[in-house]
Amino acid sequence: MKVLYPGSFDPLTFGHLDLIKSASNLFDGLVVAVLENPSKNSTFTIDRRKEQVMEATNSLEKVHVVSYEGLTVDCARSHDINIILRGLRAMSDFEYELQIAHTNRSLDNTIETIFIATEAHHSFLSSSVVKEVAMFGGEVNHMVPSMIANDLYEIFKK
Ligand code: ADP
């Protein structure tokens, strides 16, 4: 069975990576789908976000990285996948995630959403927290892979 793990990954953090590693042990294949969302002002371009995820996951054989625009259910269908994977860090994620899961089911009831609870030690991480720390020159090497840390320092240098 294969799963689709969609998200903005702007940028990928060790929290996302924990989830990718757990899921790749559980499933036959995992497609990480990086969302190009025109209504969200992303820090990194879609191509760079995809490259970052590819580099961070290149040792994981079962992981494949794609980018997509539009509906997540359409992306899942185009890869012949009927399970969407999302991560839960805390109760605060739950309401939002449940809303998306219900929306996706209303669009296609053959596609299920499943959740994996994050590793406790990375559950404080979010892409926006990492960006805020990097923006003020703080240490982010324990939060993101080194290529992404370098990208963050580079983009906030100006
Ligand atoms: P989106 O904009 O779609 O929420 P994100 O890249 O922020 O995209 O998150 C993608 C998924 O990864 C979400 O399900 C989110 O809950 C999960 N996630 C975010 N941060 C972490 C983390 N630190 N640990 C595990 N999962 C996470």
Side-chain angles (χ1 to χ4, degrees):
M1 220 184 292
K2 281 203 301 181
V3 288
L4 186 87
Y5 179 34
S8 311
F9 305 106
D10 188 33
L12 173 105
T13 70
F14 281 139
H16 295 125
L17 207 51
D18 285 339
L19 206 86
I20 292 170
K21 286 179 182 159
S22 306
S24 67
N25 288 328
L26 288 172
F27 298 98
D28 303 319
L30 171 73
V31 175
V32 183
V34 185
L35 174 66
E36 158 95 276
N37 185 348
S39 64
K40 247 189 189 179
N41 245 341
S42 57
T43 303
F44 294 104
T45 64
I46 183 70
D47 290 341
R48 192 60 185 158
R49 283 182 277 141
K50 188 180 166 195
E51 280 166 8
Q52 291 167 338
V53 181
M54 284 174 77
E55 148 101 17
T57 59
N58 68 5
S59 63
L60 302 170
E61 273 173 26
K62 289 193 245 168
V63 177
H64 183 63
V65 187
V66 299
S67 55
Y68 76 107
E69 271 181 273
L71 296 175
T72 303
V73 289
D74 288 340
C75 177
R77 275 197 292 250
S78 73
H79 293 280
D80 236 356
I81 292 177
N82 53 13
I83 302 176
I84 293 172
L85 171 70
R86 296 283 290 179
L88 288 176
R89 284 166 290 190
M91 272 309 282
S92 50
D93 280 339
F94 187 73
E95 223 166 307
Y96 172 67
E97 292 295 340
L98 197 60
Q99 188 182 17
I100 304 178
H102 283 308
T103 306
N104 286 334
R105 180 177 289 157
S106 78
L107 296 171
D108 186 334
N109 64 9
T110 66
I111 297 180
E112 292 289 349
T113 302
I114 62 168
F115 300 98
I116 290 185
T118 68
E119 294 279 348
H121 64 289
H122 284 144
S123 65
F124 70 99
L125 280 179
S126 70
S127 302
S128 39
V129 160
V130 172
K131 285 187 277 196
E132 209 156 311
V133 174
M135 198 180 291
F136 295 109
E139 183 58 68
V140 293
N141 280 292
H142 57 304
M143 303 179 183
V144 294
S146 56
M147 172 212 197
I148 297 176
N150 293 339
D151 277 358
L152 282 162
Y153 292 132
E154 186 61 31
I155 209 156
F156 291 126
K157 217 167 52 186
K158 297 155 226 155

